[in-house]
């Protein structure tokens, strides 16, 4: 299992559709790598899939970034259904619109999946180098990541500069007393 974290390059509150589609493709990368390398899926990508679906839903239903659905905003219900309370409430949008939103989410996620799979297939050598480096080190800094992607050797793992603790076995004091 793994996690990818990105440090913010600056404080931004606005993202383009292109940037968000790239985030979707990154989110689908772990699952695509599983498919490419092992020809199977695990539960390891569950959080990535959830995050990708959330981004895609916001793109379509909140930010108007879908040509097929249009520049409309569909607010999510904030209250959970409790004892049938929402049954009498009118829906914010039609069943047809809900189906259109679902179809667009599926299209965006599938497009991100195809992008990830294509990139990983094209750059399989880099994927394998990265996997080996992560097996060796468990974590990589951004500089180490760049070296791996460029096919360069990683510097040796720094050793702990602190002296090792004394051995619990005492020397020369046995038998006194």
């Amino acid at each position: 299992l793994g996690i990818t974290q990105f440090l913010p390059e600056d404080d931004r509150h606005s993202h383009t559709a292109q940037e968000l589609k790239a985030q979707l493709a990154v989110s689908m990368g772990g699952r695509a790598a599983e498919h490419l390398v092992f020809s199977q899926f695990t539960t390891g990508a569950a959080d990535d899939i959830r995050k990708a679906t959330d981004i895609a839903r916001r793109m379509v239903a909140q930010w108007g970034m879908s040509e097929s659905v249009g520049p409309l905003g569909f607010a999510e219900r904030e209250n959970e259904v409790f004892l049938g309370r929402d049954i009498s409430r009118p829906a914010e949008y039609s069943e047809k619109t809900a189906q259109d939103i679902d179809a667009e989410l599926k299209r965006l996620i599938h497009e991100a999946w195809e992008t990830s799979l294509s990139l990983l297939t094209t750059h399989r050598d880099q994927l394998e180098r990265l996997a080996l480096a992560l097996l060796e080190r468990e974590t990589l800094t951004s500089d180490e990541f760049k070296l791996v992607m460029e096919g360069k050797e990683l510097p040796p793992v720094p050793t702990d500069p602190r002296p090792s603790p004394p051995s619990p076995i005492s020397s020369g004091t046995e038998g006194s007393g």
Side-chain angles (χ1 to χ4, degrees), residues 6-165:
F6 298 95
L7 297 175
E9 293 180 18
D10 52 22
D11 282 338
R12 294 184 54 201
H13 300 286
S14 182
H15 299 279
T16 66
Q18 183 178 358
E19 290 170 330
L20 294 169
K21 286 180 179 182
Q23 283 183 21
L24 294 177
V26 168
S27 294
M28 299 307 292
R31 186 168 178 92
E34 285 180 339
H35 175 70
L36 183 64
V37 175
F38 303 113
S39 299
Q40 64 179 353
F41 300 114
T42 69
T43 58
D47 191 55
D48 293 332
I49 292 169
R50 183 192 58 76
K51 287 176 183 175
T53 303
D54 183 58
I55 290 169
R57 184 174 307 283
R58 288 173 186 253
M59 288 174 70
V60 174
Q62 290 182 352
W63 300 326
M65 293 181 172
S66 164
E67 288 185 28
S68 66
V69 174
L72 302 171
F74 304 100
E76 290 286 320
R77 290 186 180 164
E78 293 182 20
N79 301 325
E80 292 184 30
V81 175
F82 180 70
L83 296 178
R85 239 184 244 172
D86 279 359
I87 292 174
S88 63
R89 262 179 76 184
E92 280 93 21
Y93 46 87
S94 71
E95 182 61 31
K96 168 76 169 87
T97 299
Q99 290 172 356
D100 292 346
I101 291 170
D102 288 345
E104 188 65 358
L105 293 179
K106 186 174 182 178
R107 186 193 67 76
L108 285 168
I109 297 297
H110 183 74
E111 182 180 285
W113 161 262
E114 291 294 331
T115 298
S116 290
L117 195 55
S118 174
L119 285 169
L120 290 172
T121 300
T122 301
H123 300 282
R124 176 81 184 249
D125 59 326
Q126 291 173 313
L127 172 64
E128 291 183 11
R129 283 197 309 268
L130 182 60
L132 290 173
L134 287 169
L135 283 171
E136 177 186 319
R137 298 183 182 226
E138 293 187 22
T139 61
L140 296 174
T141 66
S142 62
D143 289 337
E144 291 168 336
F145 176 83
K146 288 174 188 172
L147 289 173
V148 171
M149 292 295 101
E150 294 168 357
K152 297 179 180 173
E153 290 290 318
L154 290 174
V157 177
T159 57
D160 192 347
R162 296 175 290 178
S164 36

